[in-house]
Amino acid sequence: MCPECGSADVEWFTASGRATLYSYVINHRPARGFEGDGPYAIAVVQLAEGPRMMTNIVGIPNTPEDLILDMELQVTFEQRGDVSVPLFGPAGAAR
Amino acid sequence: MSRAALPSTSTDRGVIIAGAAETNALGKLPGYSTLQLHVEAAVNAVADAGLRMRDIDGVATVNAPGPVQVAHALGITPRYMDGTGVGGTSFLLHVRHAAAAIRAGYASTVLITHGESGRSRVGATPFPRGASSIPGQFEAPYGTAGPTSSFTIPVLRYMKEYGLTHEQLAYVAVAQRKWAARNPRAMFRDPITVDDVLASRLVAWPFHLLECCLVTDGGGALVVTSADRAADFRKPAVHILGTGESMDAPMISQMADFTESKAFRLAGQAAFTEAGITTADVNHLMIYDAFAHVPIYGLEALGFTAKGEAGAFIADGNTEPGGVLPLNTNGGGLSYTHTGMYGMFAIQEGVRQVRGEAAAQVPDVNISVVVGNGGMFATSGVLVLGRQPS
Ligand SMILES: [Zn+2]
């Protein structure tokens, strides 16, 4: 249901995959399974459609100099274990 | 001070904290189980009030171990139980709920306990949550590693919007260490500089080790009862003048606004309205500081500074010894202790300051405000504590 108005008239739709970088940290204490990656950004992105979500940023070094708030991003999917997770990289970058 | 005409403001409906104590030691206590920490804190708080365990008829604490294990271990069969568990602020909510229960006649004397083997993890609840849980689905796949890598995420947005500098963020830890240096029970007491903070190991950029709370073992407990008994106890009564509780979002990514805490703001408004106070009436302040940005969010949400100005307010020395608004005077979660659910220790310091028995005592504390957060920015409780009944 819609938490704004309580309506049950909701539907699934395919989002554009476009987003902007809303905020992040660069984690230096890796979680289990992330030990090999070096420091990695745990980011929150703002989808073009409005909602925000947590993700990782790929296709660009995860440094304060490279990760600029409000930069434009595009979704990409990566298989991690038995789930496919939505990650984000710079918009327009060839992958 | 103008006061709203609420039932809680009359002496006969008033509620007080009559007993307050921590465990004998804090820090690394591998010889104590979680339950033992609860028991020792409870015994100390009941003794602090000059009561006996059989005088207690209400018990509140967080699961696990929860009120049933704690009450049973203490030999109490309470007629009121509260197991509210919404993170580290839960004990502030227990105080609020106990005040309501006492006014309703459900209990006369409520014992609120905290014990946590946060460092040694003896009898502690395991951390990882199931893959189908909300954080299991929407946070863990991205390599989150506890609060250090998620509670911290909003600050970069705040820095961009309001110009908070890395040095100002670091100074929060410097200011609190100045208080800790005056407190023999604080875990870290050596003075530090902004350079020390910025040179400490990166935990989750922009946060360095000295901008993150400690991880310790310890406990604390409170005895809450009606104000008509205020003269019956060993120590001066601490009057509960106003309370509030609120929430934001269950996950950091869904927080309503990354630059402010809605939960702090709403819980603070409720507590200040009930107490009939403004920020100008507050002599002493505790804001649960799991990380260096949290006092900044707290100062702004409760209206102690304008939006975007709290970082400079702290860096200008206003919250340190000699400043106009003494903040986190035990040294806080950054320097005093942090078991995991620190809210109990913030209340303890508020009580000590109102009683006039704190290690780093602020002169003439008539009103102390305690601000708690839980589940990172998910929940908040706020207490207004006073030396006088109104
Ligand atoms: Zn709607």
Side-chain angles (χ1 to χ4, degrees):
Chain A
M1 66 166 247
C2 169
E4 292 289 331
C5 69
S7 170
D9 186 16
V10 296
E11 60 178 13
W12 291 99
F13 68 94
T14 302
S16 65
R18 288 185 290 112
T20 54
L21 182 55
Y22 194 68
S23 203
Y24 66 93
V25 292
I26 300 173
N27 185 30
H28 287 250
R29 287 184 174 173
R32 200 170 299 164
F34 287 75
E35 294 89 344
D37 298 354
Y40 56 96
I42 299 172
V44 171
V45 297
Q46 175 106 47
L47 303 183
E49 291 78 9
R52 293 193 304 258
M53 61 175 285
M54 188 176 279
T55 189
N56 297 130
I57 306 297
V58 295
I60 182 172
N62 280 194
T63 68
E65 294 72 31
D66 289 287
L67 299 176
I68 307 301
L69 293 199
D70 300 315
M71 67 188 291
E72 299 202 345
L73 303 168
Q74 181 66 38
V75 75
T76 179
F77 290 88
E78 184 178 301
Q79 196 70 24
R80 288 184 177 171
D82 54 3
V83 291
S84 176
V85 295
L87 309 179
F88 285 80
R95 278 186 58 79
Chain B
M1 186 190 315
S2 69
R3 297 191 55 90
L6 289 168
S8 60
T9 62
S10 68
T11 309
D12 59 327
R13 297 274 292 166
V15 177
I16 60 169
I17 295 173
E22 298 175 356
T23 47
N24 299 338
L26 304 169
K28 194 172 181 182
L29 308 170
Y32 281 79
S33 72
T34 302
L35 187 59
Q36 282 177 295
L37 294 166
H38 279 264
V39 167
E40 185 174 288
V43 167
N44 289 352
V46 170
D48 182 74
L51 294 175
R52 298 187 197 174
M53 207 53 79
R54 66 167 180 260
D55 299 321
I56 303 298
D57 64 353
V59 172
T61 191
V62 175
N63 270 313
V68 177
Q69 273 196 46
V70 169
H72 187 260
L74 296 171
I76 303 166
T77 306
R79 61 189 177 106
Y80 167 82
M81 287 179 282
D82 181 4
T84 300
V86 290
T89 198
S90 298
F91 313 101
L92 286 83
L93 274 62
H94 295 153
V95 170
R96 184 172 208 244
H97 302 170
I102 289 163
R103 289 191 185 111
Y106 294 167
S108 71
T109 311
V110 178
L111 174 66
I112 302 167
T113 70
H114 165 64
E116 193 166 3
S117 184
R119 184 181 186 97
S120 305
R121 307 210 60 77
V122 184
T125 310
F127 272 129
R129 287 188 264 192
S132 63
S133 70
I134 292 289
Q137 290 183 68
F138 299 109
E139 293 185 339
Y142 306 108
T144 51
T148 53
S149 58
S150 43
F151 200 170
T152 48
I153 293 177
V155 82
L156 212 57
R157 188 82 227 168
Y158 178 96
M159 293 171 98
K160 171 159 181 172
E161 303 280 345
Y162 292 98
L164 176 75
T165 67
H166 293 272
E167 289 74 18
Q168 286 170 339
L169 185 63
Y171 197 86
V172 175
V174 174
Q176 292 193 193
R177 186 61 66 84
K178 293 184 183 185
W179 287 113
R182 300 170 176 223
N183 186 352
R185 270 170 71 86
M187 190 156 178
F188 289 144
R189 302 181 57 205
D190 294 337
I192 51 173
T193 65
V194 166
D195 287 344
D196 292 334
V197 177
L198 295 178
S200 66
R201 191 157 50 81
L202 273 170
V203 172
W205 185 87
F207 287 86
H208 306 77
L209 187 64
L210 293 177
E211 291 160 319
C212 304
C213 64
L214 307 168
V215 182
T216 62
D217 306 321
L222 300 163
V223 177
V224 178
T225 192
S226 51
D228 57 2
R229 300 170 63 196
D232 299 350
F233 304 103
R234 290 177 54 235
K235 299 213 178 135
V238 173
H239 295 265
I240 301 165
L241 302 180
T243 64
E245 66 189 89
S246 192
M247 56 166 267
D248 195 325
M251 287 193 297
I252 205 81
S253 62
Q254 305 307 302
M255 189 177 176
D257 180 342
F258 273 31
T259 70
E260 71 164 49
S261 167
K262 179 177 91 172
F264 282 169
R265 176 167 49 81
L266 296 177
Q269 282 171 359
F272 278 41
T273 300
E274 183 185 1
I277 65 160
T278 69
T279 54
D281 298 313
V282 178
N283 310 118
H284 171 255
L285 179 61
M286 297 297 293
I287 300 176
Y288 186 148
D289 55 324
F291 295 93
H293 63 317
V294 186
I296 293 170
Y297 281 64
L299 285 168
E300 295 181 5
L302 273 75
F304 287 100
T305 74
K307 188 79 180 280
E309 294 179 2
F313 183 76
I314 294 171
D316 288 344
N318 288 298
T319 64
E320 62 194 54
V324 295
L325 183 60
L327 169 67
N328 292 343
T329 50
N330 58 355
L334 297 179
S335 288
Y336 179 63
T337 201
H338 191 287
T339 52
M341 290 185 287
Y342 167 82
M344 173 58 78
F345 299 99
I347 305 170
Q348 295 284 337
E349 177 68 5
V351 168
R352 289 190 292 260
Q353 289 285 350
V354 171
R355 284 174 165 179
E357 63 178 23
Q361 181 65 44
V362 172
D364 302 321
V365 176
N366 282 313
I367 291 189
S368 171
V369 169
V370 184
V371 182
N373 53 258
M376 301 182 263
F377 278 122
T379 60
S380 177
V382 174
L383 303 179
V384 179
L385 305 177
R387 194 191 299 177
Q388 308 297 331
S390 62

